[in-house]
Amino acid sequence: MSILFSEKTKTFHLYNQKISYIMTVLPNGHMGQLYFGKRIHHKEDFSCLLERQRRPMTACVFDDDSSFSLEHTRQEYGVYGTTDFRHPAVEILQEDGSRLSDFVYAGHEVTAGKPKLPGLPATYTEAQKEAETLVVRLKDAQTQMALELFYTIFAEGGILTRSVRFTNEGKKNVQLTRAMSLCLDLPDCGYEWMQFSGAWARERHLKVRKLEQGIQAVDSIRGNSSHDHNPFIVLKRPTADEEQGEVMGFGLIYSGNFLAQAQVDTYDMTRVLLGIHPFHFSWKLEPGESFQTPEAVVVYTREGLGDMSRTFHRLYQRRLARGYWRDRERPILNNNWEATYFDFTEERLVEIAEKAKDCGVELFVLDDGWFGARRNDHAGLGDWYANRELLPHGIKGLAEKIEALGMKFGLWFEPEMVNGDSDLYRSHPDWILETPGRHASLGRHQYVLDFSRPEVVDHIHEQMSKILSEAKISYVKWDMNRSITECYSRALPADRQGEVFHRYILGVYDLYERLTSEFPHVLFESCASGGGRFDPGLLYYAPQGWASDDSDAVERLKIQHGTSFCYPVSSIGSHVSVVPNHQVFRETPLHTRANVAYFGTFGYELDLNKLTKEEQEEVKEQIRFMKQYRKLLQFGSFYRLSSPFEGDGNVTAWMAVSEDKREAVLGWYRILSHANPPLARLRLSGLDERLCYRITENGRERTGVYYGDELMNAGLITTEGVSGETAPGEKGGCDFDSRIFVLKAERSCLEGEE
Ligand code: DGJ
């Protein structure tokens, strides 16, 4: 990896073994984009890549040079109104009402490693040799605003991160009204756009469409990254698939309002913008003040969607998530939410926990309902002390009982919220986000606390810290169950109200940072009515997130498949729940519920006492299996073999392969069973073609051994004859069926090894 600069041509070339990123100082001093893609040879002069076509008289040009209009030039951080008419990366409102800026190259610096982003989550390095960072400094002479463009190239993988810092070096106040984290101009538009969208209980469903002239975007203006759209998009060539082809993934490490947009102009040039949503955003910069944007991550590959995902997985797993739990196998948990909802006593919880322990569960989690006056979802949020009627020995007493059983204990919080019926609201009614004189809307009967105010964050911190210090708590589930409305902070002046959404998220990050540093061994799981804030920002603090409130195994196929495009298996909270399922009322077999949940953090969302003896034995077996293979499942390389979003979506298949490729677990899921079905083969991926593997299918060994190249080319036969008859001793397949295959390389069968 290297960052080269040619003084003569004022050109930068950032490259590693996979990618090249080339940019130059344009004739007007702005930064121009020349190339982003597969690594190419270095040379001093890449000016041939700067297309300076003469355009018709309609183009407005710089300095009467008819071959230089910003409108037709690829830029690093586009500005509007000075010959470019595309949506810009930046807009600054000045005291005289002008919104123009003219950022001109003023210098640069290259450093080893990667600097931290103050107050914000970001990828990091552990050794300086892992990455290099370029900071390009630009200056707007009129306002004296300084703009620093940060680029980090990692040594491994086609990864580039970007962020931006503004500093007011002038004498007058300005208002930043748009400050994107990334602006990338591409020379063509021959891509398909992929987004991951949905709603509560059907998060991150894959949607694909051709990129067209005009604007396509996904966003959130709900205050959280949202169930609706994820801050992650992909541009892929139409011919690219899981295994090959040109793909670019763009992720934003942020948990609040965002915009991810591609604008294709009528010359077929594509501008990608990613960052904080400019809608309802402004940030006042007084002289001397700075503003740092969140970080954007771009992954480029020519090896298809699978390689893009695995690159994101490795980066987010190893250099975004942090702390004690980063590389550790995640405890198998039993959460009481779907088992009891609000209807529990200490005795009932201990009964559930005892059976969980008996089955091999490692962590018991008490969900919503344990605090203040909470008996249903109308009261109690904000009062983080145990309800002694339900828990006579408090959280400390319950935690001790669970520990005495030989399990760890975990607890649910919803730190950012308050109910009208709570001591906190009664003593601080002005601590909620609401616009004076306007109606304050409720969501799940609760208000949103004004986390832009440090004293509010301090107060919640004090309460949570007390509980976490007093009781032996090993896990925290941090929930967030509504979006933000009537966004306004009583603590800020009128000209800073545009800052509230972002300051709110900074408050959330601040509380996470404090708690994770004070309690470094506690495992945090993020949650927002399921997957309403499943984003890279929170992975920095909480290495796993509850992926969805929909725990039905069939529904989970789409949710977990979509999520896997960006997020590692170790981050995807997935549990086995009861049937009929509480969200869709479907009955699925117990083995399928577990087979889906294995590709995640794994746990149970039910009272195991209510299962039959045979089912309890099956659960014990599932837990034994998960303990044996969880390192491979959670931290191995993940491959999508068959997609629930393609064709009739009837078959989904995923695979996790160990680093040395000697072991793999393959999950195969079929929604509906068909009579007399066609032949079916599944091509596997990620194996060593020279190794030969033994295969067990649902615990039974298949005869013979199979070379990796055979499995990856000829495929594994998965046809299952369902025609009213079964072979003696065999059970027929059913709807919602699934199989788990375990592949193990023979000890000494590596071709040419002996
Ligand atoms: C929403 C979460 O997604 C659920 O798992 C549960 O924790 C409830 N909130 C509790 O109110």
Side-chain angles (χ1 to χ4, degrees):
M1 144 210 67
S2 202
I3 297 177
L4 302 176
F5 175 66
S6 159
E7 190 62 55
K8 195 164 140 217
T9 61
K10 294 275 184 292
T11 300
F12 296 90
H13 186 178
L14 296 77
Y15 65 85
N16 64 19
Q17 291 190 340
K18 301 236 166 185
I19 54 171
S20 281
Y21 191 95
I22 304 171
M23 56 191 166
T24 193
V25 179
L26 296 169
N28 65 348
H30 293 196
M31 290 303 299
Q33 156 63 216
L34 296 181
Y35 175 77
F36 177 45
K38 194 174 158 104
R39 158 97 186 260
I40 56 176
H41 282 105
H42 178 67
K43 58 183 193 176
E44 186 167 33
D45 187 358
F46 281 105
S47 57
C48 57
L49 293 173
L50 186 63
E51 290 166 70
R52 296 191 58 175
Q53 306 284 340
R54 301 182 86 78
R55 293 293 179 188
M57 58 157 198
T58 49
C60 297
V61 294
F62 181 75
D63 266 359
D64 218 13
D65 174 350
S66 58
S67 72
F68 186 47
S69 162
L70 288 178
E71 180 177 6
H72 301 294
T73 306
R74 284 180 290 129
Q75 294 161 68
E76 283 301 304
Y77 208 64
V79 289
Y80 166 81
T82 52
T83 77
D84 192 355
F85 301 95
R86 289 168 292 177
H87 284 202
V90 53
E91 192 171 62
I92 302 171
L93 176 60
Q94 295 137 57
E95 279 187 353
D96 64 1
S98 159
R99 290 170 189 263
L100 297 185
S101 50
D102 181 28
F103 284 106
V104 169
Y105 172 77
H108 71 273
E109 196 179 296
V110 175
T111 50
K114 184 170 189 291
K116 279 191 160 193
L117 300 195
L120 283 167
T123 57
Y124 58 90
T125 52
E126 285 199 331
Q128 296 216 323
K129 62 176 187 328
E130 289 179 10
E132 256 189 282
T133 299
L134 165 69
V135 187
V136 181
R137 291 181 209 292
L138 301 113
K139 190 90 187 233
D140 177 54
Q142 174 99 351
T143 56
Q144 288 294 301
M145 282 287 286
L147 164 63
E148 290 166 293
L149 303 176
F150 288 79
Y151 300 81
T152 296
I153 182 155
F154 279 80
E156 298 285 323
I159 306 166
L160 187 83
T161 67
R162 290 185 54 178
S163 76
V164 172
R165 184 155 61 212
F166 292 92
T167 304
N168 185 352
E169 295 177 352
K171 293 200 166 55
K172 292 181 178 167
N173 296 338
V174 296
Q175 288 273 0
L176 267 178
T177 57
R178 173 184 274 258
M180 303 308 282
S181 299
L182 167 141
C183 169
L184 179 64
D185 287 349
L186 300 166
D188 71 285
C189 67
Y191 296 98
E192 284 175 345
W193 157 280
M194 299 172 80
Q195 66 186 59
F196 302 84
S197 302
W200 173 79
R202 60 173 165 84
E203 297 88 342
R204 293 172 298 286
H205 281 207
L206 170 63
K207 311 272 169 204
V208 189
R209 61 180 181 275
K210 192 174 168 298
L211 206 55
E212 296 285 1
Q213 290 184 358
I215 289 175
Q216 32 261 288
V218 287
D219 69 349
S220 168
I221 47 174
R222 309 180 69 103
N224 51 359
S225 49
S226 89
H227 297 89
D228 306 25
H229 303 294
N230 200 259
F232 171 65
I233 53 157
V234 177
L235 296 185
K236 72 180 260 289
R237 295 295 182 190
T239 51
D241 57 26
E242 283 290 336
E243 300 212 322
Q244 60 73 41
E246 189 174 21
V247 175
M248 269 179 244
F250 299 86
L252 185 68
I253 303 182
Y254 192 58
S255 312
N257 290 350
F258 75 91
L259 174 68
Q261 171 173 308
Q263 179 173 16
V264 180
D265 68 14
T266 48
Y267 293 84
D268 285 349
M269 186 151 62
T270 302
R271 168 167 291 177
V272 180
L273 289 175
L274 184 60
I276 294 179
H277 207 306
F279 179 75
H280 225 294
F281 167 82
S282 64
W283 197 274
K284 184 175 174 186
L285 282 179
E286 294 183 6
E289 286 183 345
S290 294
F291 180 81
Q292 169 70 54
T293 71
E295 178 168 287
V297 179
V298 193
V299 167
Y300 176 91
T301 177
R302 290 288 268 266
E303 290 154 56
L305 292 161
D307 184 56
M308 174 205 71
S309 296
R310 288 184 291 279
T311 306
F312 271 111
H313 296 171
R314 278 192 297 274
L315 180 71
Y316 285 1
Q317 210 160 40
R318 299 175 193 169
R319 293 295 179 266
L320 176 61
R322 299 174 298 167
Y324 179 82
W325 284 102
R326 186 186 75 176
D327 306 322
R328 286 191 157 75
E329 295 170 34
R330 304 302 156 72
I332 295 171
L333 66 80
N334 189 175
N335 178 303
N336 77 308
W337 180 242
E338 288 198 16
T340 65
Y341 296 104
F342 292 109
D343 184 17
F344 61 81
T345 57
E346 183 186 280
E347 210 181 327
R348 176 106 198 270
L349 295 172
V350 173
E351 245 171 57
I352 298 174
E354 278 168 347
K355 181 48 76 184
K357 172 64 192 170
D358 177 48
C359 290
V361 168
E362 299 159 315
L363 166 72
F364 179 76
V365 178
L366 171 55
D367 209 279
D368 193 355
W370 57 268
F371 48 88
R374 194 127 170 120
R375 281 300 173 78
N376 51 46
D377 58 11
H378 285 74
L381 289 173
D383 299 341
W384 299 109
Y385 41 84
N387 179 330
R388 291 280 173 162
E389 277 171 40
L390 300 174
L391 304 171
H393 306 97
I395 287 297
K396 184 166 185 289
L398 177 62
E400 278 164 6
K401 289 193 174 170
I402 303 297
E403 284 269 335
L405 290 174
M407 275 190 295
K408 300 284 175 207
F409 175 69
L411 195 59
W412 180 96
F413 290 91
E414 193 174 1
E416 301 150 67
M417 301 291 157
V418 67
N419 285 115
D421 183 1
S422 67
D423 292 343
L424 179 62
Y425 184 77
R426 280 184 283 272
S427 42
H428 296 286
D430 57 328
W431 275 11
I432 63 167
L433 289 171
E434 66 173 335
T435 306
R438 305 265 172 204
H439 171 74
S441 306
L442 287 161
R444 205 196 189 196
H445 323 290
Q446 64 202 45
Y447 298 114
V448 184
L449 284 171
D450 183 355
F451 260 46
S452 75
R453 295 172 73 161
E455 67 273 32
V456 177
V457 176
D458 285 347
H459 179 83
I460 298 296
H461 168 253
E462 202 180 304
Q463 293 194 63
M464 289 179 77
S465 179
K466 186 159 181 282
I467 292 187
L468 294 176
S469 323
E470 283 171 1
K472 192 140 184 358
I473 294 171
S474 306
Y475 160 106
V476 165
K477 177 173 172 188
W478 178 319
D479 207 344
M480 194 265 184
N481 283 303
R482 60 159 291 184
S483 304
I484 297 175
T485 55
E486 293 90 25
C487 184
Y488 186 99
S489 171
R490 285 199 157 81
L492 289 171
D495 59 357
R496 287 199 180 268
Q497 289 303 322
E499 301 175 16
V500 182
F501 273 122
H502 182 57
R503 284 188 186 272
Y504 175 89
I505 288 295
L506 293 180
V508 171
Y509 291 154
D510 177 34
L511 184 55
Y512 257 118
E513 184 67 39
R514 289 200 235 173
L515 293 171
T516 49
S517 355
E518 283 161 42
F519 304 97
H521 292 103
V522 172
L523 171 61
F524 281 76
E525 174 154 350
S526 71
C527 173
S529 296
R533 209 165 54 180
F534 197 103
D535 59 58
L538 289 186
L539 276 187
Y540 185 68
Y541 309 97
Q544 60 190 58
W546 182 226
S548 177
D549 270 349
D550 191 341
S551 60
D552 171 68
V554 173
E555 298 271 294
R556 275 288 181 141
L557 293 173
K558 283 190 172 165
I559 294 167
Q560 292 179 208
H561 194 92
T563 306
S564 79
F565 277 84
C566 182
Y567 303 97
V569 169
S570 60
S571 70
I572 302 177
S574 51
H575 302 164
V576 174
S577 61
V578 287
V579 289
N581 171 268
H582 289 188
Q583 293 77 43
V584 294
F585 312 111
R586 192 184 345 252
E587 306 240 5
T588 52
L590 183 54
H591 70 269
T592 292
R593 283 175 269 155
N595 290 348
V596 174
Y598 289 147
F599 284 84
T601 56
F602 198 71
Y604 292 83
E605 190 88 11
L606 47 79
D607 179 354
L608 291 162
N609 289 299
K610 297 201 169 152
L611 301 188
T612 63
K613 285 272 165 291
E614 293 75 51
E615 286 172 329
Q616 288 173 2
E617 287 310 311
E618 196 176 335
V619 166
K620 287 181 189 168
E621 193 41 53
Q622 292 170 351
I623 292 177
R624 264 198 296 276
F625 175 86
M626 188 58 185
K627 286 180 180 166
Q628 187 177 353
Y629 292 105
R630 85 179 130 183
K631 181 156 188 266
L632 166 59
L633 284 157
Q634 293 175 348
F635 296 94
S637 299
F638 179 80
Y639 293 83
R640 288 176 295 265
L641 305 179
S642 184
S643 167
F645 296 104
E646 274 169 26
D648 63 3
N650 203 38
V651 172
T652 299
W654 305 319
M655 191 170 162
V657 182
S658 67
E659 207 175 330
D660 63 5
K661 301 188 176 197
R662 299 194 75 93
E663 227 176 11
V665 174
L666 157 62
W668 175 93
Y669 312 92
R670 188 199 49 212
I671 301 177
L672 292 182
S673 155
H674 295 298
N676 202 12
L679 300 182
R681 279 176 189 222
L682 188 66
R683 278 192 179 170
L684 310 196
S685 250
L687 300 173
D688 186 328
E689 16 185 75
R690 300 164 310 154
L691 283 175
C692 52
Y693 297 85
R694 286 209 176 271
I695 301 179
T696 53
E697 176 179 347
N698 289 346
R700 287 169 64 184
E701 187 158 333
R702 277 201 173 192
T703 43
V705 286
Y706 306 78
Y707 271 106
D709 57 3
E710 174 189 343
L711 293 168
M712 294 193 289
N713 293 291
L716 180 75
I717 293 178
T718 54
T719 321
E720 189 184 51
V722 182
S723 39
E725 290 174 23
T726 52
E730 273 188 6
K731 272 215 283 193
C734 55
D735 285 348
F736 321 128
D737 202 3
S738 63
R739 296 183 237 169
I740 289 286
F741 298 85
V742 176
L743 285 77
K744 285 193 183 183
E746 287 274 270
R747 265 209 179 285
S748 61
C749 75
L750 184 61
E751 182 200 347
E753 200 176 50
E754 272 102 336

PDB file of all heavy atoms in Angstrom, residues 18 47 80 223 247 420 438 608:
ATOM      1  N   LYS A  18      -5.003  -4.298  -4.462  1.00  0.00           N
ATOM      2  CA  LYS A  18      -6.295  -4.480  -5.134  1.00  0.00           C
ATOM      3  C   LYS A  18      -6.792  -3.245  -5.876  1.00  0.00           C
ATOM      4  O   LYS A  18      -7.432  -3.361  -6.904  1.00  0.00           O
ATOM      5  CB  LYS A  18      -7.361  -4.862  -4.100  1.00  0.00           C
ATOM      6  CG  LYS A  18      -7.060  -6.124  -3.337  1.00  0.00           C
ATOM      7  CD  LYS A  18      -8.179  -7.093  -3.490  1.00  0.00           C
ATOM      8  CE  LYS A  18      -7.725  -8.451  -3.027  1.00  0.00           C
ATOM      9  NZ  LYS A  18      -8.669  -9.485  -3.224  1.00  0.00           N
ATOM     10  N   SER A  47      -2.887  12.913 -16.487  1.00  0.00           N
ATOM     11  CA  SER A  47      -3.799  13.980 -16.927  1.00  0.00           C
ATOM     12  C   SER A  47      -4.667  13.545 -18.108  1.00  0.00           C
ATOM     13  O   SER A  47      -5.712  14.129 -18.370  1.00  0.00           O
ATOM     14  CB  SER A  47      -3.018  15.249 -17.259  1.00  0.00           C
ATOM     15  OG  SER A  47      -2.056  14.943 -18.233  1.00  0.00           O
ATOM     16  N   TYR A  80     -21.807  23.431  -5.684  1.00  0.00           N
ATOM     17  CA  TYR A  80     -22.861  23.881  -6.596  1.00  0.00           C
ATOM     18  C   TYR A  80     -22.698  25.375  -6.895  1.00  0.00           C
ATOM     19  O   TYR A  80     -22.195  26.139  -6.071  1.00  0.00           O
ATOM     20  CB  TYR A  80     -24.235  23.650  -5.938  1.00  0.00           C
ATOM     21  CG  TYR A  80     -25.369  24.353  -6.622  1.00  0.00           C
ATOM     22  CD1 TYR A  80     -25.958  23.798  -7.761  1.00  0.00           C
ATOM     23  CD2 TYR A  80     -25.839  25.573  -6.147  1.00  0.00           C
ATOM     24  CE1 TYR A  80     -26.991  24.453  -8.409  1.00  0.00           C
ATOM     25  CE2 TYR A  80     -26.875  26.238  -6.785  1.00  0.00           C
ATOM     26  CZ  TYR A  80     -27.443  25.673  -7.924  1.00  0.00           C
ATOM     27  OH  TYR A  80     -28.460  26.325  -8.560  1.00  0.00           O
ATOM     28  N   GLY A 223     -34.302  10.094  12.529  1.00  0.00           N
ATOM     29  CA  GLY A 223     -33.486  10.233  13.736  1.00  0.00           C
ATOM     30  C   GLY A 223     -32.649   8.994  14.015  1.00  0.00           C
ATOM     31  O   GLY A 223     -31.652   9.060  14.714  1.00  0.00           O
ATOM     32  N   VAL A 247     -17.770  -4.699  -8.457  1.00  0.00           N
ATOM     33  CA  VAL A 247     -18.745  -4.320  -7.436  1.00  0.00           C
ATOM     34  C   VAL A 247     -18.128  -3.249  -6.543  1.00  0.00           C
ATOM     35  O   VAL A 247     -16.953  -3.317  -6.209  1.00  0.00           O
ATOM     36  CB  VAL A 247     -19.068  -5.559  -6.552  1.00  0.00           C
ATOM     37  CG1 VAL A 247     -19.977  -5.175  -5.407  1.00  0.00           C
ATOM     38  CG2 VAL A 247     -19.692  -6.678  -7.361  1.00  0.00           C
ATOM     39  N   GLY A 420     -44.319   9.346  29.955  1.00  0.00           N
ATOM     40  CA  GLY A 420     -44.939  10.426  30.720  1.00  0.00           C
ATOM     41  C   GLY A 420     -45.160   9.981  32.157  1.00  0.00           C
ATOM     42  O   GLY A 420     -45.008  10.754  33.109  1.00  0.00           O
ATOM     43  N   ARG A 438     -45.955  23.272  20.277  1.00  0.00           N
ATOM     44  CA  ARG A 438     -46.503  22.250  19.365  1.00  0.00           C
ATOM     45  C   ARG A 438     -46.846  20.993  20.148  1.00  0.00           C
ATOM     46  O   ARG A 438     -46.265  20.728  21.199  1.00  0.00           O
ATOM     47  CB  ARG A 438     -45.478  21.857  18.292  1.00  0.00           C
ATOM     48  CG  ARG A 438     -44.949  23.001  17.500  1.00  0.00           C
ATOM     49  CD  ARG A 438     -45.736  23.158  16.222  1.00  0.00           C
ATOM     50  NE  ARG A 438     -45.332  24.379  15.555  1.00  0.00           N
ATOM     51  CZ  ARG A 438     -46.118  25.030  14.704  1.00  0.00           C
ATOM     52  NH1 ARG A 438     -47.317  24.585  14.432  1.00  0.00           N
ATOM     53  NH2 ARG A 438     -45.709  26.131  14.127  1.00  0.00           N
ATOM     54  N   LEU A 608     -38.106 -22.752  27.677  1.00  0.00           N
ATOM     55  CA  LEU A 608     -37.787 -24.131  27.268  1.00  0.00           C
ATOM     56  C   LEU A 608     -38.581 -25.157  28.074  1.00  0.00           C
ATOM     57  O   LEU A 608     -38.738 -26.298  27.649  1.00  0.00           O
ATOM     58  CB  LEU A 608     -36.281 -24.381  27.402  1.00  0.00           C
ATOM     59  CG  LEU A 608     -35.418 -23.612  26.390  1.00  0.00           C
ATOM     60  CD1 LEU A 608     -33.968 -23.541  26.850  1.00  0.00           C
ATOM     61  CD2 LEU A 608     -35.496 -24.237  25.008  1.00  0.00           C
TER      62      LEU A 608
END
